[in-house]
Amino acid sequence: MKRIIVMLALMAVLSVPAAALAYNPGVALPSGATEVEAFEWNGTVWSSMWVNGAGAPAANARCWSSTPDSGACNKQNWVINITNHASVAQWIDWSIGGTRWDWRIRKPGTYAADCINFTIKSNNDVAVNFDGFADLEYLEQSAGVKQTIDTYYSYGGSIEAAQSNGWIRAADLNNADFIFPDGSALHSGLNYKLWNKIVVENCNSSCEYEDTATITLTVRNMKHWIDPETGNFKSDQT
């Protein structure tokens, strides 16, 4: 199985130095804050997000009230300071049309296919990490003539575009971590067609060849009140 993502040529355009980025994890709730019922508009009606007298961990939004104030005397003017604060978590919406390519090759040659579409959308920077990418490797130990099939990746709307964008050797992806930067394009959603090229030679013995690799997508602005494992509200909201 192989999880594929955009090519090195695109990374050079999109990459942002991680050290230059700063993120706000959110502020603590004021002392004595009390959760209040919140509602969500679905385009037709308001729906309560209240479950058993509290906001649910999987609710899309929750709200707290705090810092009450009062006054009583005969002075003319009273200034009441109001603060309306919103802490917006980073979300991500991604999809990949497949996580595996299966080639069946009758004869030596150079072959390419555009099996997979990849889309990503988020409201802040997303880091991308590659690990384990390599040429397809002969699965039978201590056998065969050439143990690997040269493997490359590219992207583009057509085979001509993929050729023009350049083919990236599989192992080079492991040193090509990068960041999708926050911006209107990422908010609206980015879409790529991903290509795979293999070079099968006379010296590749008949057998099964495979490589397994991983891609890790990481949201960069993680709020302290979000559970990083589930993406829901933490049980202890402070």
Side-chain angles (χ1 to χ4, degrees):
M1 180 180 293
K2 185 174 295 298
R3 295 175 174 84
I4 315 300
I5 204 165
V6 293
M7 297 301 101
L8 191 60
L10 181 63
M11 299 170 202
V13 176
L14 294 177
S15 60
V16 176
L21 303 172
Y23 305 97
N24 188 332
V27 300
L29 291 172
S31 177
T34 301
E35 188 167 13
V36 297
E37 187 173 10
F39 298 81
E40 183 173 14
W41 177 253
N42 66 5
T44 304
V45 297
W46 288 100
S47 298
S48 175
M49 293 181 285
W50 208 243
V51 177
N52 297 325
N60 287 335
R62 294 167 69 177
C63 187
W64 285 259
S65 174
S66 64
T67 59
D69 200 0
S70 64
C73 78
N74 298 87
K75 74 176 187 178
Q76 182 175 13
N77 295 314
W78 298 84
V79 177
I80 304 172
N81 296 314
I82 302 295
T83 300
N84 191 357
H85 180 90
S87 180
V88 179
Q90 184 178 358
W91 49 263
I92 185 171
D93 184 356
W94 64 270
S95 68
I96 189 166
T99 59
R100 179 180 174 112
W101 271 306
D102 277 278
W103 286 98
R104 291 183 173 179
I105 301 110
R106 291 183 58 243
K107 295 182 179 181
T110 299
Y111 307 102
D114 67 336
C115 303
I116 292 174
N117 285 324
F118 175 78
T119 64
I120 184 169
K121 182 188 296 186
S122 185
N123 63 334
N124 213 318
D125 301 336
V126 177
V128 183
N129 171 266
F130 303 88
D131 185 59
F133 283 85
D135 291 338
L136 305 188
E137 187 172 356
Y138 196 82
L139 292 182
E140 301 297 327
Q141 295 183 353
S142 303
V145 177
K146 184 181 179 182
Q147 297 290 320
T148 58
I149 294 175
D150 295 354
T151 306
Y152 302 80
Y153 298 101
S154 187
Y155 73 100
S158 65
I159 186 63
E160 291 79 14
Q163 183 70 20
S164 177
N165 289 330
W167 295 97
I168 310 305
R169 194 65 179 263
D172 290 338
L173 289 177
N174 300 320
N175 298 316
D177 297 350
F178 74 104
I179 291 174
F180 283 110
D182 186 29
S184 58
L186 184 59
H187 285 229
S188 298
L190 301 170
N191 181 63
Y192 304 98
K193 180 175 286 189
L194 308 177
W195 294 75
N196 168 222
K197 182 179 79 171
I198 58 174
V199 180
V200 181
E201 303 176 71
N202 292 338
C203 53
N204 287 126
S205 298
S206 64
C207 188
E208 305 299 302
Y209 295 75
E210 186 175 276
D211 173 58
T212 60
T214 60
I215 294 291
T216 301
L217 304 176
T218 303
V219 299
R220 301 280 290 180
N221 186 202
M222 197 68 198
K223 296 299 183 182
H224 74 88
W225 44 269
I226 289 287
D227 184 332
E229 296 298 321
T230 66
N232 293 333
F233 284 90
K234 288 181 177 178
S235 57
D236 182 17
Q237 289 293 299
T238 58

